[in-house]
Amino acid sequence: MGKASKDKRDIYYRKAKEEGWRARSAFKLLQIDQEFNIFHGVKRVVDLCAAPGSWSQVLSRNLYVPAKQAPDCKEGDLPLIVAIDLQPMAPIEGVIQVQGDITNARTAEVVIRHFDGCKADLVVCDGAPDVTGLHDMDEFVQSQLILAALTIVTHVLKVGGKFVAKIFRGKDTSLLYCQLKLFFSQVTFAKPKSSRNSSIEAFAVCENYSPPEGFKEEDLYHLLEKVGTPSGADDLDCRSGWLGGPNKVYIPFLACGDLSGYDSDRSYPLPSTEGGSYRSLDPVQPPIAPPYKTALEMKKASSHGANADTIRPSADS
């Protein structure tokens, strides 16, 4: 699909480039903040699975830049933003980049060192695996990624802090909800308006981090394995869709964003310009080291080799 037709089809894709965002996902975090005010009072933030950096951009523009431009700004009062990803990304003002694995507790130690021994007020994660189109499989793998992110969260998030993570909704979503409720007093599944209705994507907004009494970070998975239903029954599993009565799990679900705003599933006409036809904008920041870069180089090298064999003169000539 050409760039012009894609620009016409996806209004948030086009608006992201016009407003200087690296990806359309920036609007999702902005709309979540409009509904839940997650940036209020935040001084230390961790962005997990940050590349290409659109959520880090949102954090920079809403936390770091306003604080830096304040007339009474002091160096020690500036918010600290740490972005973690296996892939490198272009620099963002006020964002400290860490290349690391969010499933490794040693990455948490690096983050805490950047915070001078303090803990974060907010942790966000927009990471997702490569989808297969098999919703049950995608939902399971995504839930495991979120639980892996909890490895970092339980080490770096302060008591009373907030955690926002992408989820895939499905028949076993109630299990993930109950697991998150072990650590947060309030958990809401939110659907920003910039997220397409055709997508099973949503976001878990977890508030007031309060781990169980006596909880040790190394016991995280042992604790998650024992989760049952909110009623406390040991012989029931909240993954089962047949639960009813007092054992049924009701998950708070909320739509975020201005309902009269842009519809992510609707096609909008391209804006008219004085010079004639609309000129498609290039990406704000292309990937630095995309996973497909090696494949392209190998393909290019192999094509050059084939061409050399074709034009090489024979021994008889």
Side-chain angles (χ1 to χ4, degrees):
M1 180 179 291
K3 287 198 294 184
S5 59
K6 188 174 182 66
D7 283 351
K8 182 175 181 179
R9 178 175 64 86
D10 192 335
I11 184 67
Y12 287 103
Y13 173 85
R14 188 171 77 228
K15 289 293 182 183
K17 293 195 292 185
E18 291 174 354
E19 297 180 16
W21 302 111
R22 295 185 179 182
R24 67 188 301 283
S25 56
F27 294 106
K28 300 173 186 177
L29 186 58
L30 289 169
Q31 290 169 351
I32 290 173
D33 177 60
Q34 290 173 4
E35 186 66 41
F36 295 93
N37 198 22
I38 59 174
F39 296 155
H40 177 69
V42 170
K43 290 293 184 181
R44 290 177 291 273
V45 194
V46 180
D47 183 9
L48 305 177
C49 305
S54 61
W55 278 27
S56 293
Q57 277 186 297
V58 172
L59 296 171
S60 174
R61 293 189 190 183
N62 285 268
L63 297 175
Y64 181 84
V65 174
K68 184 179 179 180
Q69 294 176 347
D72 55 347
C73 171
K74 298 180 181 178
E75 187 68 27
D77 296 336
L78 291 175
L80 292 172
I81 305 170
V82 176
I84 304 174
D85 201 287
L86 289 172
Q87 299 291 331
M89 64 183 190
I92 299 174
E93 184 180 10
V95 177
I96 302 169
Q97 295 187 31
V98 174
Q99 275 191 261
D101 185 355
I102 67 168
T103 65
N104 194 329
R106 294 181 182 177
T107 306
E109 298 173 3
V110 176
V111 174
I112 293 176
R113 283 202 298 270
H114 283 298
F115 289 159
D116 294 328
C118 299
K119 293 196 173 184
D121 305 304
L122 172 67
V123 178
V124 297
C125 178
D126 191 33
D130 293 333
V131 294
T132 64
L134 304 172
H135 290 343
D136 288 348
M137 175 67 74
D138 293 337
E139 177 202 349
F140 171 77
V141 176
Q142 178 66 10
S143 65
Q144 295 306 303
L145 178 63
I146 295 173
L147 297 181
L150 271 177
T151 305
I152 293 288
V153 170
T154 56
H155 282 81
V156 306
L157 188 62
K158 74 174 187 180
V159 174
K162 305 169 187 175
F163 175 48
V164 178
K166 178 187 292 187
I167 66 168
F168 290 157
R169 293 174 295 148
K171 61 183 180 62
D172 290 338
T173 305
S174 55
L175 173 62
L176 178 62
Y177 173 77
C178 290
Q179 289 172 324
L180 292 173
K181 282 286 287 183
L182 290 174
F183 300 93
F184 298 89
S185 63
Q186 186 172 352
V187 178
T188 305
F189 288 178
K191 180 77 169 177
K193 191 170 178 62
S194 53
S195 177
R196 298 184 184 94
N197 291 329
S198 55
S199 170
I200 61 173
E201 168 194 80
F203 292 86
V205 182
C206 310
E207 302 174 88
N208 190 24
Y209 177 61
S210 48
E213 186 176 352
F215 168 71
K216 297 179 181 178
E217 289 83 359
E218 58 270 18
D219 297 332
L220 172 64
Y221 279 88
H222 297 296
L223 181 62
L224 293 176
E225 288 173 355
K226 297 178 181 178
V227 67
T229 63
S231 64
D234 295 331
D235 58 336
L236 294 176
D237 188 344
C238 62
R239 288 174 292 184
S240 304
W242 45 263
L243 291 178
N247 295 320
K248 189 169 181 61
V249 180
Y250 293 96
I251 304 174
F253 191 81
L254 187 65
C256 300
D258 185 3
L259 297 181
S260 61
Y262 292 111
D263 185 347
S264 57
D265 283 306
R266 177 183 166 188
S267 293
Y268 290 87
L270 296 175
S272 58
T273 58
E274 295 180 359
S277 61
Y278 174 78
R279 183 178 64 86
S280 179
L281 300 175
D282 292 326
V284 174
Q285 177 60 59
I288 291 179
Y292 53 80
K293 184 177 181 181
T294 304
L296 291 177
E297 291 174 349
M298 293 174 63
K299 183 178 179 181
K300 185 177 180 181
S302 63
S303 63
H304 284 327
N307 292 336
D309 292 339
T310 303
I311 63 176
R312 184 180 296 120
S314 64
D316 297 334
S317 60

